[in-house]
Amino acid sequence: MSSYTKETMLNALEHFKDANAEFILRALFSEDESIICIAAKICGLKRIYSSIPRLKQLSVNESYDSELKDQAAWSLAQMEEKDISVDSRESLHLELKSITMNNRRFTSSTINQLMQFIKDMTVSIDPAHGAWHAKRVWETALWLSDAMDVDLIVVQLASLLHDTCDWKYPEAEKKQMVVRNYLTAFPISELQINHIMDIIGNMSYKKNKGVLYTKSLEGQIVQDADRLEAIGATGVIRAMMYSGSKGNAITAFRGNHLEDLMNCRNDSITMHHFYEKLLLLKEGMNTEKAKIEALRRHEFMLQFIDEFYGEIERTEETRD
């Protein structure tokens, strides 16, 4: 890698200055060392704390040019000057080690760290799959895990990170590298990391055509939690959030059950989503607790749909 001139670096920084954290994190895994170096510098300038694990890796990797290693070290130093000190980071690591050893629920400080990474990684996707959803899936997964003999660390990390590198979003493979690298900052084994990544990669409803996750109880719990958060009142809200972000219509011009059911593959109509997926999810639960909760949430959706179409039909009758 050739050394940068001052003009080259200034031009590069100008080009990337408005880039979001997700873009910069992906750039840290580029095959071009020049791009990695620029991204590393921006991480330090913009204080992108979720880049710390990758920067640490870059700063000591002998296969990289000394200029790149120095830049990674400089960016790490910038972040240590603000908010997250070495001492506090070591304190967090010890906290995580204690949580891991005792297989217990993450504390608020751990969640805050994770939520920042999730926000960075999901900033460019629709709000229905962002940080709020991740935290809801985490809470639901913990509820489902109660009194079960499971690796709670795997359940929590998989539930929180499940949408950060989902296959349906652009550059999923690069994001998977970022997430895997981020997990190395936790005091967990390579086996646990592989388990988490396998759950994330195999829980999608569309990718697996509704097939249940059978490899582990942890994966079944995370899949159930994600599917429960897609139905009931929460599911209705998220469907509307997604629709609004995409500018989709709510229903067909003269909406009714039959018309929307017949056109359930039309992704640009919000109510079609209920027929193609949401109303089918009660049959796609793994655990008994999730099956019971899914029935309750399913009934709410049926009531919502009846009320929604009833309101439309009553007002259309007056127009006719």
Side-chain angles (χ1 to χ4, degrees), residues 41-54:
K41 185 173 183 67
I42 297 205
C43 287
L45 293 172
K46 298 181 77 169
R47 280 16 182 223
I48 301 176
Y49 294 111
S50 50
S51 69
I52 287 174
R54 175 61 171 166

Side-chain angles (χ1 to χ4, degrees), residues 173-184:
E173 289 187 7
K174 288 185 179 180
K175 289 183 180 182
Q176 287 169 11
M177 291 175 60
V178 175
V179 173
R180 178 177 282 277
N181 185 71
Y182 181 72
L183 288 171
T184 63

Side-chain angles (χ1 to χ4, degrees), residues 224 252 310:
D224 281 356

Side-chain angles (χ1 to χ4, degrees), residues 35-292:
I35 293 176
I36 298 174
C37 195
I38 294 167
K41 185 173 183 67
I42 297 205
C43 287
L45 293 172
K46 298 181 77 169
R47 280 16 182 223
I48 301 176
Y49 294 111
S50 50
S51 69
I52 287 174
R54 175 61 171 166
L55 291 174
K56 285 183 175 180
Q57 189 180 65
L58 292 171
S59 67
V60 298
N61 194 322
E62 294 300 325
S63 64
Y64 288 119
D65 186 282
S66 60
E67 185 177 357
L68 174 53
K69 291 193 292 183
D70 290 345
Q71 182 60 70
W74 178 86
S75 293
L76 284 169
Q78 299 308 301
M79 284 181 271
E80 287 175 355
E81 291 176 2
K82 181 183 178 183
D83 295 336
I84 302 180
S85 65
V86 175
D87 288 343
S88 64
R89 205 172 297 135
E90 288 179 352
S91 175
L92 177 63
H93 185 83
L94 289 173
E95 181 180 289
L96 285 170
K97 189 172 183 180
S98 173
I99 290 170
T100 303
M101 290 174 64
N102 293 288
N103 199 37
R104 60 185 173 85
R105 179 189 177 111
F106 288 157
T107 62
S108 58
S109 60
T110 304
I111 286 296
N112 289 339
Q113 292 284 331
L114 281 156
M115 291 306 291
Q116 184 57 57
F117 177 74
I118 294 164
K119 289 175 182 176
D120 288 345
M121 291 294 290
T122 60
V123 68
S124 63
I125 68 176
D126 63 273
H129 295 88
W132 179 77
H133 169 61
K135 196 168 185 180
R136 283 296 311 140
V137 174
W138 171 66
E139 293 281 8
T140 304
L142 285 172
W143 176 69
L144 291 173
S145 299
D146 188 43
M148 286 191 173
D149 183 17
V150 294
D151 185 335
L152 206 55
I153 305 306
V154 168
V155 168
Q156 292 184 90
L157 288 171
S159 59
L160 284 162
L161 300 174
H162 75 279
D163 274 331
T164 56
C165 53
D166 192 287
W167 69 276
K168 64 179 172 284
Y169 298 116
E171 299 189 296
E173 289 187 7
K174 288 185 179 180
K175 289 183 180 182
Q176 287 169 11
M177 291 175 60
V178 175
V179 173
R180 178 177 282 277
N181 185 71
Y182 181 72
L183 288 171
T184 63
F186 289 79
I188 58 178
S189 68
E190 185 68 21
L191 189 63
Q192 286 174 302
I193 291 175
N194 290 338
H195 192 179
I196 292 164
M197 296 304 297
D198 187 71
I199 292 172
I200 291 173
N202 289 283
M203 65 181 292
S204 170
Y205 181 84
K206 285 188 177 180
K207 184 179 180 181
N208 297 295
K209 296 181 173 59
V211 174
L212 300 181
Y213 186 92
T214 59
K215 295 182 181 180
S216 69
L217 181 56
E218 289 82 1
Q220 292 175 8
I221 288 169
V222 176
Q223 188 178 63
D224 281 356
D226 188 39
R227 290 182 177 183
L228 283 174
E229 289 304 302
I231 59 179
T234 302
V236 172
I237 291 170
R238 290 183 60 227
M240 300 307 162
M241 287 173 67
Y242 179 85
S243 176
S245 71
K246 299 297 181 181
N248 292 343
I250 299 298
T251 188
F253 184 68
R254 289 176 65 83
N256 59 66
H257 286 277
L258 181 59
E259 185 175 353
D260 282 340
L261 180 59
M262 291 176 66
N263 293 282
C264 67
R265 292 185 180 179
N266 189 336
D267 291 337
S268 65
I269 305 295
T270 304
M271 293 308 293
H272 296 171
H273 188 52
F274 285 81
Y275 296 98
E276 69 165 352
K277 177 182 176 182
L278 305 189
L279 292 174
L280 306 178
L281 286 176
K282 72 178 178 68
E283 304 298 334
M285 299 294 162
N286 300 281
T287 62
E288 289 304 312
K289 194 172 185 178
K291 289 175 183 177
I292 294 169

